[in-house]
Amino acid sequence: MVKDARTPPDCPGGHDGMPESDAGRHLQNQLEILIQDFRRSTEPPMPVFVVHAQEGRDDDAVAGLVRQLHAGQEAHGTRCAVTQDTYEGATEVRRAAALVRALSDPRKWGGPKALYRRYAFPRLRLVHAIDDAVAALGDSWPSPAPGSPEAGQDQHRRLLDELAQQRWRPKNAARWRSGLPLFDMAHILPASLVTVLAALLARSDWYVAVGAGLVFLLLLTVLNYVLPGRAPIFLWLRRESRWFMTTTFLRAADQEESTEVSLLRPVRSWKAIAARAYDVAEALTAGGDFHLQLCVLALREDLRDNHRRWSWDLRGFKRPRPPMLFLPHADDRNGGIELIRAISDVRSRRSELDPLLVVAAVRTHDVPRLERSVVQAPPAPDAMPPTFGVRLRTWYQEWGRNLRAEQSPSRERSVLPWVMKIPLPHDQLGPVEEGRHHLRASSRPTLARLVWALHTLVLVIALLTAATVMRADALHDRYCSASVLTANRDTRREQGSDGRTECIGIATDDVRFADWLPAPRADDDIKALTADDDPPWTVADLEDRIARQNTDVVAHHTGKYVTVVYAGPLSADPASGSSLVKGAEELAGVYLAQAVINENSSVKLRVLIANGGVDLGHQEEMAEAIAAYAAHDPTVVGVVGTGRDLKSSRATTRTLMRAGLPVVSGTNSATYLPREFANWFSLAATDEWQTKQLGLIAAQLRTPGRRQYALVLARDTARTDDLYTDEQARYGQRMLRRQGFTLLEQRRYILSGGKPELRSHAQEVCRGGRVPSVIYFAGRVEDIDPLMTQLGTEPGCAGKPLAILTGDDLSKADFAGGGHSVAPEVTLYHAALAELQKASTTTAFYQDAAQHLPGLRGHRLRSDSPALASGQTALAHDATRALFWAATRDDRPQSRASTWVNLRNVRIEGMATGTIDFTGAPLYGDRTGHSIVLKEVSRVADGTSETRVLCRRTAGDTRRLTQQECRIR
C-alpha cells in the first residue's frame, strides 16, 4: 500500500490476534488509520463496519475474522467489547436492549493492556434502574386492576419508592468495590474537603479541621446511604441527572413541569427529576423501539463522556484509541441487527460525533435486513483491478462523502447512513501471504498520560504537602496564632533576651498575651501570695474582661464606638528581674476607664491590647503592627501607653504619627518627645522638669561656703535600649552643678545575671578621700535594695549621713509596706508622677476601682491602698479618659484626625490625679500642670522605712513649687 504522513507504521507482530487473512489485514489497517486520526484529534466519523461473505459458505470464516480483529485490537491496547451469540428477551428489540445492558459493565471493556482506568456508564445505569423499577412494579403499572391493593395508591409515588429502594441504580448492581461501599463520593468527598478547608481558613487547629471534615463526611454518608427509603442526597448534582434533564430525546412537547436542575435549588431539581423519571417509565411500558434507542443514546453519551478531552482528569487525552464493539454474530438471537439499526438511527438524530467504532459480522442471508449498502455495484472490470485494500479505502471515502446527505430527513427510510457494509470475497479470506505486515497506530503515551496522571498527582500532593507543612511551620514560627494555611498577622513571635519567645504586636481575634507569659513555679506561687508589689489581678483576668466588653460593643453598638489601643509591656523576664507589674497595673487602668465609659456613655469604647515585650524592648515592631491594623480599621483613634523612655521611642512615635495616631502616655517622662512630635501627649512630668524640682531639695542639702561632693551613679545603658537612665543622669548632673556641688566623675554600673554590680563602685567611692554627701541615682527601682546594702556596709559610708536623689521610677517601690528599706543614716528623696491623696477627695476613681477591678470588689480603697499606690493604674486610667474625651467630642465618634486636634482642647476634672488639662500645651514645647510629688524616705528606730511627702501638686495645678514649701527639716 502507498503510505503517507497519516499512515501508521507497521506493527512488528509477535502477539496473539495477528490477522490470518488478507481481508483481516486490510480491515485491521483501516481500523488503525481511523485510530491514528482519532489520536490526532481530527475526530473522524466512526462507521458501523458490517462485514459479510459474498458466499454463504464463508459465514463462519467472516465471524472468525471479526474475532481475530477483536484479539488484535486488544493486543494493541484498544478498549474492546465483544458480544455473546445469544441474549434473553421476548423480542429481538428486547434482546438488543439486553445486549446494551451487558455493555454497561465496565469489566466488559478493555483488557489488561488498556490504558487508564475503567469506563463508567452512569447514564446507561440510570436508564436500567428505571427499567428495573418498572419491571418490579409489574405489568399492571401504571394502571392497576380495580380492587387490587395498588388501586388506591399514587402510581407516581410507587415508582419513586421503588427507585429509592434501588438507590436509583439497577437491581443486583455491585454496591461494593475494593471493599468500600459505593456512596455518592463524587459529591460527598468534595463537600467534606470544603469543610476542612473552611475550618483551616478560619485558623482552627489542623485536628479540629480534619475532625470537622470527618464528622461532615459521616453525616452525609448516613443521610446518603444508611437511611432507608431515600434517594441519594446529591442525586440532582450527578452528571447522569443533568443529562437526563437536558437531553432533547426525552423532552416532550407538552411538558409543563420545570426541567431546571440547579445547585442552589435541590427541592425543585428533585421534583423535575422525579417527573422526568415518571414520563420515561410510562414510555418504557409502551414498548416499541424507545427503550432500545434510549439505551443506545445513553451508551453513546457515556462513551463520549469517557473520551471527553477537556475533563478534569483529561481522560480523553489519556485514551487515544476509540472504543470498539465487536459482534461476531449479529442476528436475531442476540439482537445485533436491531442494535446496528438503533445506532444508525440515534446518530442520525444527534449532531455530535461519538467515538464508538462497531465491527459486526452478519450472515449472508441476513444482509437484506440492513436494507441498503453504501457500496455500489462493482464497476466494469479493469485491466488491473484494484486490490481489496484500495477498494476498502475507496468505500470508506465514499461512505464519508454520502454520510451528510443520507442523514437528511427527506431521504428514503431504507437508508442506514452510519452503516458501511463490506462484502468479503472468498479469495480474501485465505491465509495471509508470508512477510505481510499490518499497521498499528502510534502507541506512545500521550503527554497528558505522563503529566496529568496518578504518579504526577502523588508527586504534586507530596510537594504540596511538604510545602504546606513548611509553610505551616514557618507561620507557627513567625506568628503567635497560626493554622495550616493562614495566620493572624497582627502579632508575631520575637525572641526575648532570656531566650523565651514573646508575642509582640496588637492582639486581635482570639490572641491573648497572657498565654505567652511564663508559668509560675511553685516557689513563685508562694511568693506571689505574700508579695505586696504584685497587683491582686492578672493579665489574663483583664484580657478576658476587655474582650467581653469589646464583644458587646461591636455586637450592639455598630457605628457608635471608638477604638483605643493600649501599648505596654505585657511580657515578663524573671531571669533579669523584670516584672509584669507595670504592664498589669497600666492595663487595669485602661480597663477601668473602659468599664466606666461603657456604663455611662452613649458612645462606647473598644480597647485593643498591644504588647511591646519585656520593658518595651520590641516597641518598634509593636508600633508597626498598630499602624498596619489602624490602616484598615478607621475606628482606631489613638494609643495609650508606651510608658518607657527608650532609644526606640523616637522611631515608635514617628511610626504612630505617620499613621495619624495621637499618643497619650501616662508614665513616659521623656523630655524630647513633646518637643519633637506633635502627636505626643503625656501626663508625666518630664525628666528635665522633675530634676529641677529635686533641685529644691538639693539646695537645702548644700552648705554655703563649704566644698561638698556629689556623684551621679547610673546604670550602664551601652547594651540596652534604655534612654530614661541617660536623661536622668544628664539632667541630674546639670542640676547638681547648678546647685554648687563639686561633681565627681560619673559612674556606671552594669548588670550581671539581672543583678547590679555595685560593690566595686561603693568601695571606690566610700574609701576615697572625696566621699560624696549627695548621690543622684539614675537607675531603676529594682536596683535600690542592692545599693542600700552596699552603702550600709561599706566603711566610709556606713553610719554617715548621705542623701540620695532619684527620679520617678522609685515611686513604684513600696517602702511603707516593708518591700524595700533604706540604709541607716541614708535619706532617699524621689519624685512621683501621681499625686493621689489630695486628688482623692474629688474623684470617683476609687469607688469605680472597687466595683470593676478583679480582686478589689467589696474593698474600701484609698490613695495609699497597695494595689493603687504606685499611681500606674491611675495615670493609665486618666490617659484613656482624656483620649476618649477627644475622640467623642459633641457626644459623637470623631475621626482619627479630629481626635488629634481635639486633644489640645481637653480639660477634664475629677480624674484620679486631678484635672487633665492640655489646653495650654504649646506645639513642640513643654506644658505645665503636671502632677508631681516629692517624697522623703528615711530609716526609723525599728529598722523600717518611713515615707513623708515633702510637697505636691495635683494635675492641672500650674503653681510653682517653692523651697519653703518643700522643706526637708
Side-chain angles (χ1 to χ4, degrees):
M1 65 180 294
V2 179
K3 295 187 177 183
D4 55 23
R6 293 176 58 248
T7 304
D10 290 340
C11 178
H15 57 75
D16 294 335
M18 290 182 63
E20 298 178 0
S21 64
D22 278 336
R25 183 173 63 87
H26 290 303
L27 283 169
Q28 189 77 285
N29 291 344
Q30 183 62 45
L31 294 178
E32 291 298 322
I33 291 173
L34 287 174
I35 292 171
Q36 185 77 353
D37 290 342
F38 182 82
R39 183 186 180 97
R40 291 175 176 172
S41 304
T42 57
E43 294 187 357
M46 297 297 183
V48 178
F49 288 109
V50 176
V51 294
H52 62 90
Q54 287 184 342
E55 302 177 18
R57 58 178 176 156
D58 294 327
D59 286 344
D60 291 338
V62 172
L65 182 146
V66 172
R67 289 192 173 92
Q68 291 173 22
L69 292 176
H70 168 253
Q73 287 300 320
E74 269 200 331
H76 288 180
T78 303
R79 291 181 177 270
C80 304
V82 62
T83 62
Q84 302 172 184
D85 291 343
T86 60
Y87 289 94
E88 295 182 358
T91 65
E92 189 174 350
V93 172
R94 294 299 295 182
R95 289 191 287 273
L99 187 158
V100 178
R101 182 181 186 117
L103 296 177
S104 65
D105 185 353
R107 293 172 296 182
K108 296 289 185 181
W109 297 83
K113 294 186 179 180
L115 296 176
Y116 201 47
R117 53 191 175 92
R118 287 177 174 175
Y119 282 153
F121 297 95
R123 298 162 184 83
L124 189 54
R125 288 165 62 87
L126 176 60
V127 174
H128 295 332
I130 299 175
D131 185 42
D132 288 347
V134 172
L137 292 174
D139 296 336
S140 61
W141 189 90
S143 301
S148 64
E150 295 84 6
Q153 299 181 14
D154 181 4
Q155 302 308 305
H156 189 278
R157 175 55 56 189
R158 287 181 61 201
L159 175 66
L160 294 182
D161 289 344
E162 181 61 33
L163 284 170
Q165 291 297 325
Q166 296 176 198
R167 307 297 301 162
W168 286 71
R169 290 188 172 92
K171 279 195 172 182
N172 303 320
R175 291 191 177 184
W176 299 85
R177 185 181 299 170
S178 302
L180 295 174
L182 278 178
F183 301 143
D184 202 0
M185 289 303 173
H187 300 291
I188 290 179
L189 285 178
S192 303
L193 181 61
V194 168
T195 303
V196 172
L197 292 177
L200 290 177
L201 291 174
R203 292 188 292 105
S204 301
D205 293 323
W206 69 267
Y207 52 84
V208 175
V210 173
L214 291 176
V215 169
F216 195 66
L217 173 65
L218 179 61
L219 175 63
L220 292 181
T221 301
V222 169
L223 294 177
N224 185 68
Y225 186 77
V226 175
L227 297 180
R230 296 186 60 87
I233 191 170
F234 289 114
L235 176 64
W236 84 98
L237 294 181
R238 289 179 175 177
R239 50 186 171 175
E240 61 267 31
S241 298
R242 294 195 296 272
W243 166 80
F244 194 55
M245 299 305 299
T246 56
T247 178
T248 57
F249 189 87
L250 299 176
R251 176 65 176 170
D254 59 348
Q255 184 84 30
E256 295 182 357
E257 293 84 355
S258 171
T259 60
E260 179 184 5
V261 177
S262 171
L263 173 66
L264 303 178
R265 293 183 175 181
V267 175
R268 182 174 180 178
S269 301
W270 159 247
K271 289 181 179 179
I273 294 171
R276 175 61 55 84
Y278 185 79
D279 292 341
V280 171
E282 281 189 320
L284 291 177
T285 59
D289 294 340
F290 173 77
H291 182 197
L292 175 59
Q293 293 195 357
L294 180 58
C295 290
V296 170
L297 174 65
L299 173 65
R300 174 181 177 275
E301 295 299 323
D302 281 331
L303 290 175
R304 289 182 68 243
D305 187 51
N306 281 308
H307 282 268
R308 187 159 54 91
R309 294 177 181 269
W310 298 111
S311 54
W312 69 270
D313 57 351
L314 303 180
R315 51 185 173 269
F317 289 103
K318 299 176 185 178
R319 293 167 174 160
R321 304 177 73 90
M324 293 189 186
L325 174 61
F326 292 91
L327 292 84
H329 291 288
D331 52 23
D332 59 345
R333 293 179 302 164
N334 58 13
I337 293 179
E338 286 297 332
L339 174 62
I340 293 171
R341 297 168 63 90
I343 290 174
S344 182
D345 290 344
V346 170
R347 282 180 169 176
S348 297
R349 293 182 58 176
R350 311 298 294 176
S351 59
E352 307 94 345
L353 294 172
D354 65 79
L356 179 62
L357 188 56
V358 182
V359 180
V362 298
R363 291 181 174 86
T364 305
H365 65 271
D366 286 329
V367 174
R369 298 187 59 193
L370 295 174
E371 302 297 340
R372 204 181 116 179
S373 171
V374 297
V375 180
Q376 305 298 325
D382 296 333
M384 291 292 292
T387 63
F388 180 77
V390 173
R391 282 182 288 161
L392 182 59
R393 288 195 298 276
T394 302
W395 292 339
Y396 177 76
Q397 292 169 0
E398 181 184 354
W399 172 81
R401 286 193 298 269
N402 296 336
L403 179 62
R404 182 182 304 170
E406 293 192 358
Q407 291 186 97
S408 172
S410 64
R411 302 288 289 190
E412 55 182 298
R413 286 184 173 273
S414 61
V415 174
L416 294 179
W418 286 89
V419 175
M420 178 178 168
K421 294 200 300 288
I422 304 173
L424 300 179
H426 178 76
D427 62 338
Q428 292 294 320
L429 296 174
V432 68
E433 296 181 16
E434 187 72 24
R436 294 289 185 94
H437 295 284
H438 66 279
L439 304 179
R440 180 176 182 175
S442 176
S443 58
R444 289 178 296 120
T446 61
L447 182 63
R449 178 67 177 168
L450 296 174
V451 176
W452 192 254
L454 181 60
H455 61 271
T456 308
L457 178 63
V458 171
L459 177 61
V460 170
I461 290 176
L463 292 176
L464 287 177
T465 302
T468 301
V469 171
M470 293 176 62
R471 174 174 171 78
D473 188 58
L475 290 176
H476 280 83
D477 286 344
R478 188 172 186 180
Y479 299 103
C480 302
S481 177
S483 65
V484 176
L485 299 177
T486 61
N488 182 332
R489 299 176 183 271
D490 295 324
T491 50
R492 294 191 177 191
R493 297 178 181 226
E494 298 288 349
Q495 198 72 18
S497 58
D498 64 337
R500 291 180 181 269
T501 300
E502 299 182 61
C503 184
I504 305 300
I506 180 170
T508 56
D509 298 333
D510 57 348
V511 175
R512 297 288 184 272
F513 293 120
D515 298 337
W516 296 83
L517 295 175
R521 300 189 303 271
D523 55 341
D524 293 333
D525 294 336
I526 296 173
K527 179 182 177 182
L529 296 174
T530 58
D532 293 330
D533 289 344
D534 293 334
W537 54 77
T538 64
V539 172
D541 294 335
L542 298 173
E543 284 188 308
D544 289 342
R545 294 189 177 214
I546 289 174
R548 288 196 292 270
Q549 290 274 344
N550 292 344
T551 300
D552 179 73
V553 167
V554 173
H556 302 104
H557 304 281
T558 304
K560 288 288 289 182
Y561 69 88
V562 294
T563 301
V564 167
V565 180
Y566 165 70
L570 293 175
S571 298
D573 184 3
S576 66
S578 178
S579 69
L580 190 62
V581 172
K582 177 179 178 64
E585 290 186 345
E586 287 185 338
L587 185 60
V590 174
Y591 163 68
L592 178 58
Q594 181 189 29
V596 173
I597 288 169
N598 290 344
E599 193 176 75
N600 299 285
S601 175
S602 61
V603 180
K604 306 301 179 180
L605 175 62
R606 173 173 168 248
V607 172
L608 294 179
I609 305 172
N611 180 26
V614 174
D615 295 334
L616 286 179
H618 294 287
Q619 68 170 345
E620 284 189 75
E621 294 91 328
M622 174 191 68
E624 291 170 358
I626 295 172
Y629 178 84
H632 60 81
D633 187 351
T635 68
V636 178
V637 294
V639 176
V640 170
T642 63
R644 289 180 67 92
D645 182 15
L646 305 172
K647 295 173 183 176
S648 57
S649 292
R650 279 190 174 89
T652 298
T653 309
R654 186 177 297 109
T655 297
L656 297 175
M657 181 182 69
R658 289 172 177 170
L661 294 170
V663 182
V664 181
S665 178
T667 59
N668 193 327
S669 57
T671 303
Y672 59 91
L673 288 177
R675 297 174 181 176
E676 297 180 14
F677 298 98
N679 67 322
W680 180 262
F681 301 84
S682 180
L683 306 188
T686 63
D687 294 323
E688 183 178 20
W689 190 79
Q690 284 185 51
T691 55
K692 285 182 180 179
Q693 311 314 306
L694 289 171
L696 299 175
I697 297 174
Q700 300 177 61
L701 298 172
R702 177 79 175 92
T703 302
R706 175 185 169 191
R707 174 175 292 217
Q708 285 182 263
Y709 296 103
L711 169 70
V712 174
L713 179 62
R715 181 188 281 195
D716 184 19
T717 60
R719 298 182 180 179
T720 69
D721 198 27
D722 184 15
L723 199 57
Y724 168 82
T725 296
D726 292 341
E727 281 215 328
Q728 285 283 322
R730 181 169 64 256
Y731 293 125
Q733 188 151 340
R734 184 183 303 173
M735 179 269 294
L736 291 174
R737 183 179 292 109
R738 187 182 301 115
Q739 296 299 330
F741 288 92
T742 301
L743 290 176
L744 301 177
E745 183 180 359
Q746 186 180 126
R747 289 183 171 272
R748 295 273 180 163
Y749 64 89
I750 63 174
L751 297 181
S752 177
K755 299 297 181 181
E757 292 188 351
L758 293 166
R759 183 173 180 178
S760 60
H761 293 288
Q763 290 176 348
E764 294 176 10
V765 169
C766 296
R767 296 181 183 182
R770 297 181 297 177
V771 178
S773 61
V774 174
I775 296 178
Y776 193 92
F777 179 64
R780 294 291 183 178
V781 63
E782 55 266 25
D783 302 337
I784 194 65
D785 283 342
L787 176 63
M788 292 297 176
T789 299
Q790 295 299 326
L791 294 179
T793 57
E794 189 61 42
C797 291
K800 295 182 180 179
L802 179 63
I804 297 178
L805 304 178
T806 187
D808 62 85
D809 199 63
L810 267 291
S811 63
K812 294 183 286 186
D814 181 20
F815 292 100
H820 300 274
S821 62
V822 296
E825 301 299 325
V826 174
T827 305
L828 176 67
Y829 301 95
H830 71 88
L833 297 177
E835 200 296 305
L836 301 179
Q837 182 178 356
K838 189 174 181 181
S840 63
T841 59
T842 59
T843 184
F845 171 77
Y846 300 97
Q847 292 82 1
D848 294 335
Q851 180 180 353
H852 295 288
L853 289 182
L856 297 181
R857 180 174 290 276
H859 288 67
R860 185 177 181 84
L861 300 178
R862 302 186 309 176
S863 60
D864 58 352
S865 295
L868 305 173
S870 68
Q872 304 280 327
T873 301
L875 287 166
H877 166 272
D878 290 1
T880 306
R881 294 290 295 269
L883 183 56
F884 177 79
W885 187 95
T888 57
R889 190 172 182 178
D890 300 327
D891 207 24
R892 289 196 310 250
Q894 303 289 304
S895 67
R896 197 174 299 162
S898 298
T899 301
W900 187 340
V901 173
N902 293 339
L903 273 169
R904 299 201 176 274
N905 296 317
V906 168
R907 179 180 173 84
I908 315 176
E909 297 186 3
M911 293 292 98
T913 59
T915 300
I916 308 303
D917 187 0
F918 292 149
T919 56
L923 193 63
Y924 302 110
D926 298 336
R927 75 177 183 92
T928 57
H930 296 290
S931 174
I932 188 71
V933 181
L934 299 183
K935 294 183 178 182
E936 176 189 81
V937 183
S938 58
R939 189 181 180 94
V940 295
D942 61 359
T944 61
S945 299
E946 179 184 63
T947 301
R948 180 172 69 97
V949 175
L950 298 179
C951 50
R952 73 186 82 196
R953 287 285 185 269
T954 58
D957 190 344
T958 58
R959 294 174 299 158
R960 290 187 176 183
L961 289 172
T962 63
Q963 184 173 321
Q964 179 65 26
E965 189 177 3
C966 301
R967 293 177 57 188
I968 62 175
R969 300 183 182 87

